[in-house]
Amino acid sequence: TGVARQQLGYDARAVEAYDVAAALEPRFPGAPFNRGLCRLKLKDFAAAEADFDAVCAARPDWAEPRVNRAVAREGQGKFAAAEADLTAALELGAAPQ
């Protein structure tokens, strides 16, 4: 499964598993969220941003995808958008780190 592969550090293989999970249940935000985390590790920032976009649309009340999307955006040099995500995450109750 994706989680097992991700925990073992097989991020590229985990992305494949999360692709299947997202196709089977597109309304469940866990698959694109975890796939986005794997893509961050793989430095595939544009794809990670797209995953976190989907999660933010599905769960606008969840701060953590915004924090991770900020990382993806920073990796692409989108600093103003990253700052906006971090500000939104703080407004949703994320703890500053």
Side-chain angles (χ1 to χ4, degrees), residues 1-63:
T1 67
V3 173
R5 291 175 180 176
Q6 186 177 4
Q7 289 177 341
L8 291 170
Y10 301 125
D11 293 305
R13 299 291 308 272
V15 166
E16 295 169 357
Y18 291 130
D19 285 343
V20 173
L24 292 173
E25 186 50 71
R27 294 170 295 169
F28 176 64
F33 179 80
N34 286 321
R35 182 174 59 196
L37 293 177
C38 292
R39 287 176 167 166
L40 283 179
K41 288 182 184 176
L42 296 167
K43 299 191 185 318
D44 187 354
F45 298 120
E49 180 182 11
D51 283 332
F52 295 125
D53 283 344
V55 177
C56 289
R59 290 280 312 274
D61 59 327
W62 191 12

Side-chain angles (χ1 to χ4, degrees), residues 82-93:
E83 181 181 12
D85 271 337
L86 294 174
T87 300
L90 288 171
E91 290 171 354
L92 289 170

